[in-house]
Amino acid sequence: MKTLTCVVIGAGYAGIHTVKEIRKRFKDQVNKHPLRLVLIDGNAFHLRKVLMFRPAVTNEDIRIPLTKLFPDEVELVQAMVLNINAVEKKLVYVNDVGAEHEMNYDMLVVTVGSVIRQPDSDQGGIALTSLESAQKIRSAWLSNLQQAASESNARERERLMHIAIVGAGISGVETAAELAYYARRDGERLGLDPQAIRIELYNAHDRLFLDGPAKVGMKLERLLQDIGINTLHNKRIIKEEDGVIWLSDGEKRSVGLCIWTLGLLPNPMIQTIGLPVISDGHVRVDVSYRVSDMPGVYSIGDCAKIVDPLNGHVDGKTCKEAIPQAARLAKIMLADLEGRQAPVHESYMNLYSIGLGPGKGLTWVNKWGIDFVITGKLSWKIKEYTWDAASMLTT
Ligand SMILES: Cc1cc2nc3c(=O)[nH]c(=O)nc-3n(C[C@H](O)[C@H](O)[C@H](O)COP(=O)(O)OP(=O)(O)OC[C@H]3O[C@@H](n4cnc5c(N)ncnc54)[C@H](O)[C@@H]3O)c2cc1C
């Protein structure tokens, strides 16, 4: 019996869960469907992207070596996939030393995810887009606080202790909350008044939490206020230059550090890899995640546009969508191999869990048309659990 090669591209949340679920589904199928499972990623690690703010506030390493997640039975390839040839069922990749190779596949899962939106290079500040930028942010606020501790000019000291976070999505909120805890703790250690560290969250919209009800957005804003974060609505920052942020209404404000958290964009390489792309830059798939006109190719996670066939709802771009998609996909792949009817996509329940610094959080669930809100320690525990489960750190 021919061993089938199944290649998963991308070791983000969708990719690692796809590999895990395929292993689970195909475990008892070795005699029927012997499988070679390959996971390709540009990195040798899974990046815990949802914790990107952590290296901006502490020394925490948010990388998990893929060999730790998959110590056996999965072939790990560190390489960037450049192209997929659906006719010949092969892909081209360039490995970590720059050599180009080809690999044949029988089944292929594309989970190349999204990239974090960058401001233009002349807009100043630091965008929280990568491990390196997170570390830059940490060095910048630490260095500002150190300077503030010995600064005699009150206005300059005030400027150095002012941090502006531009973009009030979940990433901006979580970054602000972690900074409120860690920058104030470090400020105190340096002999500064922690309350004099000003953290402002600039929101281009008129309220927080556009993915849920207004009252939950207001609750979130109050919780941020409680930890000393001021939210400014309808404020658009144009640029930061020489310690000054410029707002679209002409206003200027002094800041020590400007951090951009501008949300996600589809991975631009989807446009060149050889997959069918819809106008918003996502991969076109059917209700069972099959890529149009490419037999044996599937796509899930942030890079695919997935629509609920029952209500037309477009799936969100978060882990809580990607992980159930991965579980369903493994069943779909087995059903397709066996010529059986495959499952189709179903939306996940409306749920958001937002971390508000150590020991604090807000969880919102909408079930049976009712809003449930959990705050405080329990919500933090839920958030910690979901962070860990998403990166397969729980058993
Ligand atoms: C700062 C931040 C905070 C977030 N917070 C939350 C949160 O609290 N909760 C939540 O549910 N979601 C959150 N999200 C969203 C969540 O991170 C994404 O929905 C999730 O990462 C999607 O998983 P994915 O596997 O589709 O893509 P990704 O996690 O983006 O993974 C894509 C993988 O593909 C690899 N790759 C890309 N191109 C290639 C190529 N050509 N060849 C080989 N490998 C390639 C990349 O290296 C990467 O490992 C957050 C996102 C950010 C940026």
Side-chain angles (χ1 to χ4, degrees):
M1 187 166 292
K2 184 190 171 215
T3 297
L4 298 174
T5 298
C6 173
V7 180
V8 177
I9 311 174
Y13 298 94
I16 61 170
H17 281 271
T18 298
V19 170
K20 176 183 139 194
E21 295 291 338
I22 290 176
R23 286 180 82 187
K24 196 160 98 189
R25 283 288 141 204
F26 283 73
K27 199 173 65 194
D28 306 326
Q29 307 285 327
V30 270
N31 297 323
K32 238 162 111 192
H33 305 295
L35 203 67
R36 171 187 173 218
L37 190 49
V38 184
L39 175 61
I40 306 185
D41 195 285
N43 299 311
F45 52 82
H46 159 72
L47 181 67
R48 305 183 72 190
K49 200 170 167 181
V50 299
L51 288 174
M52 195 71 97
F53 53 78
R54 277 282 165 80
V57 291
T58 68
N59 269 330
E60 186 173 331
D61 190 354
I62 58 165
R63 299 166 301 172
I64 305 171
L66 292 174
T67 46
K68 183 177 171 197
L69 294 179
F70 303 111
D72 51 32
E73 291 172 19
V74 179
E75 221 174 286
L76 302 171
V77 178
Q78 188 183 351
M80 288 302 283
V81 175
L82 301 180
N83 192 258
I84 298 164
N85 180 335
V87 178
E88 294 178 29
K89 286 200 155 191
K90 60 168 69 160
L91 52 90
V92 178
Y93 65 85
V94 56
N95 70 12
D96 52 332
V97 291
E100 210 166 283
H101 292 277
E102 283 186 353
M103 185 183 286
N104 294 311
Y105 65 81
D106 298 289
M107 292 178 285
L108 178 66
V109 183
V110 181
T111 67
V112 293
S114 49
V115 294
I116 304 176
R117 193 188 293 267
Q118 298 253 18
D120 291 339
S121 55
D122 60 354
Q123 284 184 284
I126 310 177
L128 182 59
T129 53
S130 63
L131 273 180
E132 294 70 30
S133 64
Q135 284 154 355
K136 247 176 148 179
I137 288 169
R138 180 159 185 260
S139 314
W141 65 258
L142 268 172
S143 147
N144 283 352
L145 293 187
Q146 275 152 5
Q147 280 183 54
S150 56
E151 177 59 62
S152 52
N153 180 310
R155 284 187 78 164
E156 178 58 4
R157 196 168 55 241
E158 203 177 292
R159 184 189 73 79
L160 288 164
M161 292 166 78
H162 181 193
I163 304 174
I165 292 144
V166 191
I170 291 181
S171 172
V173 167
E174 290 188 331
T175 305
E178 294 275 325
L179 271 167
Y181 178 85
Y182 287 99
R184 292 210 170 96
R185 194 194 62 175
D186 283 8
E188 199 166 13
R189 183 177 53 80
L190 290 162
L192 295 163
D193 171 8
Q195 299 319 315
I197 298 176
R198 196 145 59 99
I199 298 172
E200 286 182 329
L201 183 62
Y202 285 81
N203 182 18
H205 304 281
D206 58 3
R207 70 167 173 97
L208 292 179
F209 196 43
L210 296 175
D211 292 316
K215 62 182 179 195
V216 180
M218 277 152 65
K219 172 113 196 155
L220 179 61
E221 187 172 341
R222 280 198 300 276
L223 292 173
L224 288 172
Q225 233 161 33
D226 293 347
I227 52 171
I229 296 164
N230 189 21
T231 307
L232 297 126
H233 298 293
N234 298 311
K235 294 275 180 204
R236 230 171 246 282
I237 308 291
I238 300 170
K239 65 171 178 175
E240 181 276 332
E241 198 172 51
D242 301 329
V244 174
I245 44 173
W246 298 68
L247 280 76
S248 57
D249 57 11
E251 200 188 334
K252 292 191 285 181
R253 291 172 181 217
S254 297
V255 286
L257 176 62
C258 168
I259 303 169
W260 304 90
T261 60
L262 299 178
L264 303 175
L265 286 175
N267 188 337
M269 64 84 57
I270 298 169
Q271 306 278 352
T272 57
I273 199 171
L275 295 171
V277 181
I278 49 175
S279 57
D280 67 359
H282 293 103
V283 180
R284 185 192 301 281
V285 294
D286 73 5
V287 290
S288 296
Y289 314 144
R290 304 179 192 101
V291 175
S292 314
D293 305 320
M294 295 178 87
V297 184
Y298 303 84
S299 184
I300 58 165
D302 277 13
C303 65
K305 180 170 181 181
I306 292 171
V307 182
D308 186 326
L310 279 184
N311 55 21
H313 176 83
V314 178
D315 234 23
K317 306 291 176 208
T318 76
C319 299
K320 71 179 188 297
E321 280 89 7
I323 295 166
Q325 287 166 13
R328 194 171 297 112
L329 176 59
K331 293 184 200 158
I332 291 169
M333 292 168 81
L334 191 55
D336 281 357
L337 267 184
E338 297 183 340
R340 287 185 282 112
Q341 173 104 37
V344 297
H345 176 70
E346 285 172 40
S347 301
Y348 195 68
M349 70 172 139
N350 263 333
L351 176 152
Y352 278 88
S353 193
I354 304 168
L356 294 174
K360 297 186 171 71
L362 179 145
T363 301
W364 165 73
V365 184
N366 182 278
K367 190 92 182 135
W368 309 295
I370 305 167
D371 293 317
F372 298 90
V373 177
I374 304 165
T375 56
K377 266 215 169 96
L378 177 59
S379 173
W380 174 252
K381 290 252 171 254
I382 295 171
K383 185 73 207 192
E384 269 194 320
Y385 176 80
T386 56
W387 278 329
D388 288 350
S391 290
M392 298 185 0
L393 295 177
T394 52
T395 46

